[in-house]
């Protein structure tokens, strides 16, 4: 009896000690997040150092301190898990991207964005995978299967354009910003869909039948994920419009929007779809319908709540990546061949550069063929900026690499360890070195970006304006008023080159006649008598 009591006390003390360590770790990590925010604010005027690079450097410095204090046994205070990334950190980032996107500019350039984000990612995927097979088999880095080589292509086809977006001004360069931003989101979604499709097939004995099934699975995931996001957004809009919870509690409105957005992502994961695509289009639909159905206080709250969650999640990811880069366990496996690890990293960087150039220039040429006006075409300097924007690799690449080459954050296989350490090297090098060079490069390539704003109209995103259509027809814009004698192309070129006057026009008519009367939105929102919103809505309906 005494022995059992003693064992019980030992287990209790061990649990208390473990809980205390967890509390200490969380305190340290939260303090580091606060430090990243404060230092990022102090460096706001210095656009050389963005918050991503700041968080990475702070993470690296913290990792060094932890290594010294633990005698080289650990470099981080929290264990990385791809589930932590995909389930908790990625959804608010992608949802806020869809919720805050300037939809008119995004859908005006939708064909070009899909060319870069989907077709371009596939081209980059093929080049990186083929290069990996060619070079890594000769280097004999380990026992990698064909599925691993294809996974490498998907991992390093995922871009991270945060550094470039922080330098670009979407008011001065709306076309360029829209292309870089839109391509970044579609690229991440395409890479994850490719990765999931690769993992769901046995590609060791590939044939025509398996290849066709693979292509079919890819398109199924892409379309089904998008439709699920649209349905979730419309459902939230319909519920809030019918029940109008704001008359009793704005908290319920905000909570329902957040939970419905997160539910759409988790449903996508449950049905093995792409949560990135689902939550992105859920954000777009919510900003067009649901956001207009809530009270004014809820609008302000949701806009800042989503932006804050996204901001903290991004800092959290880069901070942890910086600390995890020094994880001694991963480097211990490859310490007998450091030159091989460096060589693999260099080859991957070269393949990233080549894969990026292989589609940006030709696809830009194809896109320009459909444009009649010169200011709608993508110039050579803009093409170089788009190429550069996609050279950085970030958290998505890290998470996919962990998912493919580790088990619960650990790996003992030599080939897998080399791929993990090489991924860390590529992410750190591209984010820090390329990120620091982004500001001077953009200044050289786009010295007179303000001239572009006089040729392109400036659209506000829905959460910043009460009266912005999802797909406006472009008529009456500032650019149109300044150029009254614009001649519009006809036939198929009109459909591809100026969708704001064709597809957008018909969508707007359908939206006004069928969608907004059912799901709410601008001009179809419940109005509390006497509220400041009543007058603005009444004026809009009279226009």
């Amino acid at each position: 009896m005494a022995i059992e009591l003693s064992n019980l006390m030992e287990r209790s003390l061990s649990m208390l000690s473990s809980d205390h360590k967890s509390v200490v770790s969380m305190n340290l990590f939260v303090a580091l997040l606060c430090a990243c925010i404060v230092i990022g604010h102090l460096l706001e005027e210095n656009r050389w150092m963005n918050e991503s690079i700041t968080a990475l450097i702070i993470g690296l410095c913290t990792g060094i301190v932890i290594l010294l204090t633990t005698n080289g046994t650990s470099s981080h205070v929290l264990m990385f898990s791809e589930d932590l990334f995909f389930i908790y950190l990625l959804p608010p980032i992608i949802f806020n991207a869809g919720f805050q996107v300037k939809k008119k500019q995004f859908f005006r350039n939708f064909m070009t964005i899909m060319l870069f984000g989907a077709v371009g990612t596939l081209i980059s995927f093929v080049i990186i995978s083929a290069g990996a097979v060619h070079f890594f088999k000769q280097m004999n880095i380990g026992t990698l299967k064909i599925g691993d080589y294809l996974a490498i292509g998907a991992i390093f086809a995922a871009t991270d354009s945060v550094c470039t977006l922080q330098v670009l001004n979407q008011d001065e360069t709306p076309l360029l910003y829209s292309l870089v931003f839109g391509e970044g989101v579609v690229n991440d979604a395409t890479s994850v869909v490719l990765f999931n499709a690769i993992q769901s097939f046995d590609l060791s004995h590939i044939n025509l039948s398996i290849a066709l099934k693979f292509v079919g699975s890819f398109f199924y995931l892409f379309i089904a994920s998008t439709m699920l996001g649209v349905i979730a957004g419309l459902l939230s809009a319909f519920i809030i419009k019918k029940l109008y919870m704001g008359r009793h509690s704005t908290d319920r409105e905000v909570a329902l929007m957040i939970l419905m957005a997160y539910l759409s992502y988790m449903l996508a994961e449950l049905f093995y779809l792409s949560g990135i695509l689902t939550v992105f289009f859920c954000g777009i639909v919510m900003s067009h319908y649901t956001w207009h159905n809530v009270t004014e206080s809820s609008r302000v709250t949701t806009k800042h709540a989503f932006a804050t969650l996204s901001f903290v999640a991004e800092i959290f990811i880069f901070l942890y990546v910086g600390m995890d880069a020094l994880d001694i366990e991963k480097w211990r496996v490859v310490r007998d061949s450091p030159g091989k690890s460096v060589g693999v990293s260099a080859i991957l960087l070269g393949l990233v550069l080549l894969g990026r150039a292989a589609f940006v220039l030709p696809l830009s040429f194809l896109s320009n063929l459909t444009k009649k006006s010169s200011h709608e075409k993508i110039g050579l300097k803009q093409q170089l900026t788009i190429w550069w924007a996609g050279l950085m690799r970030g958290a998505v690449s890290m998470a996919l690499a962990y998912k493919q080459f580790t088990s619960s954050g650990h790996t003992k296989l030599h080939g897998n360890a080399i791929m993990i350490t090489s991924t860390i090297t590529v992410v750190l090098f591209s984010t820090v070195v390329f990120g620091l060079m982004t500001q001077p490069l953009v200044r050289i390539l786009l010295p007179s970006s303000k001239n572009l704003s006089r040729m392109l109209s400036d659209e506000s995103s829905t959460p910043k304006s009460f009266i912005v259509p999802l797909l406006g027809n472009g008529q009456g814009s500032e650019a149109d008023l300044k150029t009254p004698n614009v001649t519009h192309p006809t036939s198929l070129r009109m459909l591809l080159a100026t969708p704001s006057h064709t597809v957008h026009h018909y969508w707007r008519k359908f939206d006004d006649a069928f969608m907004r009367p059912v799901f709410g939105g601008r001009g179809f929102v419940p109005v509390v008598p006497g509220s400041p919103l009543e007058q603005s809505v009444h004026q809009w309906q009279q226009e």
Side-chain angles (χ1 to χ4, degrees):
M1 184 69 180
I3 294 176
E4 292 180 0
L5 184 61
S6 175
N7 290 336
L8 181 62
M9 290 183 64
E10 287 180 3
R11 286 198 298 268
S12 299
L13 289 173
S14 176
M15 290 176 62
L16 288 173
S17 176
S18 177
D19 290 341
H20 181 71
K21 288 181 180 178
S22 299
V23 172
V24 172
S25 298
M26 288 304 300
N27 272 279
L28 177 58
F29 209 88
V30 172
L32 290 173
L33 287 173
C34 293
C36 290
I37 293 173
V38 172
I39 295 174
H41 169 73
L42 295 176
L43 296 175
E44 182 67 25
E45 299 301 324
N46 181 11
R47 302 306 292 179
W48 286 66
M49 289 287 291
N50 58 66
E51 273 145 351
S52 302
I53 299 176
T54 303
L56 268 177
I57 293 175
I58 291 177
L60 283 169
C61 295
T62 305
I64 293 172
V65 173
I66 296 174
L67 274 176
L68 294 175
T69 55
T70 60
N71 296 322
T73 60
S74 178
S75 67
H76 43 64
V77 294
L78 295 174
M79 288 301 298
F80 182 86
S81 167
E82 60 270 14
D83 291 335
L84 170 69
F85 173 78
F86 280 107
I87 295 178
Y88 300 109
L89 299 178
L90 191 60
I93 297 174
I94 302 301
F95 176 80
N96 186 65
F99 193 73
Q100 302 284 357
V101 67
K102 288 190 173 183
K103 292 177 289 297
K104 187 176 179 181
Q105 192 65 248
F106 178 84
F107 284 99
R108 175 182 292 170
N109 303 304
F110 187 74
M111 296 297 294
T112 305
I113 288 172
M114 292 304 296
L115 267 179
F116 287 153
V119 179
T121 302
L122 291 174
I123 294 173
S124 181
F125 160 76
V126 171
I127 290 176
I128 294 173
S129 297
V133 171
H134 176 74
F135 290 107
F136 295 165
K137 281 188 174 180
Q138 295 180 358
M139 296 176 68
N140 191 26
I141 65 172
T143 56
L144 297 181
K145 301 176 182 178
I146 184 64
D148 294 323
Y149 290 116
L150 293 176
I152 290 171
I155 289 166
F156 289 96
T159 65
D160 186 352
S161 54
V162 172
C163 294
T164 308
L165 289 175
Q166 289 180 341
V167 172
L168 294 176
N169 188 317
Q170 61 179 328
D171 293 328
E172 295 180 357
T173 56
L175 171 63
L176 185 58
Y177 189 96
S178 173
L179 293 178
V180 172
F181 170 82
E183 188 224 335
V185 175
V186 178
N187 166 275
D188 285 345
T190 306
S191 300
V192 174
V193 168
L194 269 174
F195 186 85
N196 292 339
I198 290 167
Q199 287 200 320
S200 62
F201 283 90
D202 181 13
L203 301 174
S204 56
H205 304 287
I206 191 168
N207 52 41
L208 181 60
S209 175
I210 293 178
L212 291 175
K213 288 181 180 179
F214 178 81
V215 173
S217 174
F218 173 79
F219 283 106
Y220 162 74
L221 288 173
F222 214 94
I223 296 172
S225 302
T226 301
M227 293 306 300
L228 179 59
V230 171
I231 291 171
L234 292 176
L235 181 61
S236 69
F238 184 78
I239 292 173
I240 290 181
K241 178 177 180 290
K242 287 298 181 183
L243 300 181
Y244 191 45
M245 301 176 180
R247 64 173 177 249
H248 297 307
S249 171
T250 59
D251 297 339
R252 293 192 181 103
E253 290 182 321
V254 177
L256 187 63
M257 287 185 69
I258 294 175
L259 291 175
M260 286 292 290
Y262 190 66
L263 178 63
S264 71
Y265 184 88
M266 294 309 298
L267 283 174
E269 295 297 313
L270 177 65
F271 295 116
Y272 302 101
L273 302 175
S274 171
I276 292 179
L277 268 179
T278 297
V279 80
F280 176 71
F281 279 96
C282 180
I284 290 180
V285 173
M286 275 195 176
S287 69
H288 183 60
Y289 296 109
T290 314
W291 190 79
H292 288 280
N293 296 343
V294 300
T295 58
E296 291 177 83
S297 58
S298 295
R299 296 183 189 186
V300 176
T301 303
T302 52
K303 173 189 168 185
H304 292 290
F306 294 143
T308 302
L309 289 172
S310 172
F311 175 73
V312 173
E314 284 186 19
I315 296 179
F316 187 101
I317 290 170
F318 282 101
L319 181 63
Y320 188 86
V321 167
M323 283 192 287
D324 194 64
L326 299 175
D327 183 18
I328 200 69
E329 188 169 319
K330 299 179 183 64
W331 295 99
R332 186 181 290 123
V333 180
V334 298
R335 63 184 177 183
D336 59 331
S337 55
K340 187 176 290 187
S341 181
V342 173
V344 170
S345 302
I347 290 172
L348 288 172
L349 274 172
L351 291 174
V352 166
L353 292 169
L354 178 63
R356 187 78 185 159
F359 77 82
V360 169
L361 299 179
L363 293 186
S364 296
F365 174 76
L366 288 177
S367 176
N368 288 341
L369 291 178
T370 66
K371 309 295 183 182
K372 184 175 182 180
S373 177
S374 60
H375 71 264
E376 292 180 340
K377 295 183 178 182
I378 308 171
L380 180 60
K381 292 183 177 180
Q382 291 176 314
Q383 293 176 32
L384 290 175
T385 304
I386 295 171
W387 171 76
W388 183 266
L391 296 181
M392 272 78 66
R393 295 297 178 267
V396 174
S397 295
M398 286 285 294
L400 293 179
Y402 272 93
K403 199 170 185 178
Q404 179 70 22
F405 297 109
T406 71
S407 175
S408 301
H410 301 286
T411 182
K412 298 297 183 183
L413 297 176
H414 187 262
N416 288 1
I418 284 183
M419 291 314 306
I420 290 294
T421 54
S422 299
T423 303
I424 292 172
T425 303
V426 171
V427 169
L428 288 177
F429 182 87
S430 62
T431 301
V432 176
V433 177
F434 293 163
L436 288 174
M437 296 170 61
T438 298
Q439 169 68 8
L441 182 70
V442 171
R443 283 181 176 177
I444 293 172
L445 293 176
L446 306 171
S448 58
S449 58
K450 290 184 178 180
N451 294 334
L452 188 60
S453 64
R454 288 193 286 267
M455 294 184 289
L456 295 174
S457 59
D458 176 25
E459 300 88 4
S460 300
S461 60
T462 301
K464 297 180 182 178
S465 169
F466 286 164
I467 51 171
V468 178
L470 175 62
L471 299 173
N473 58 12
Q475 296 173 353
S477 65
E478 184 179 349
D480 291 338
L481 291 175
K482 291 183 179 181
T483 56
N485 297 322
V486 176
T487 57
H488 300 296
T490 58
S491 70
L492 181 61
R493 170 177 281 192
M494 178 176 168
L495 178 64
L496 296 175
T498 56
S500 60
H501 295 281
T502 53
V503 177
H504 295 185
H505 173 71
Y506 292 114
W507 161 256
R508 179 71 181 275
K509 292 177 66 176
F510 174 77
D511 192 30
D512 289 341
F514 300 102
M515 297 297 289
R516 287 195 288 199
V518 176
F519 298 104
R522 186 195 59 160
F524 293 88
V525 297
V527 181
V528 178
S531 68
L533 183 62
E534 182 184 22
Q535 183 178 0
S536 63
V537 173
H538 180 67
Q539 290 175 349
W540 178 85
Q541 290 175 332
Q542 289 179 334
E543 292 178 357

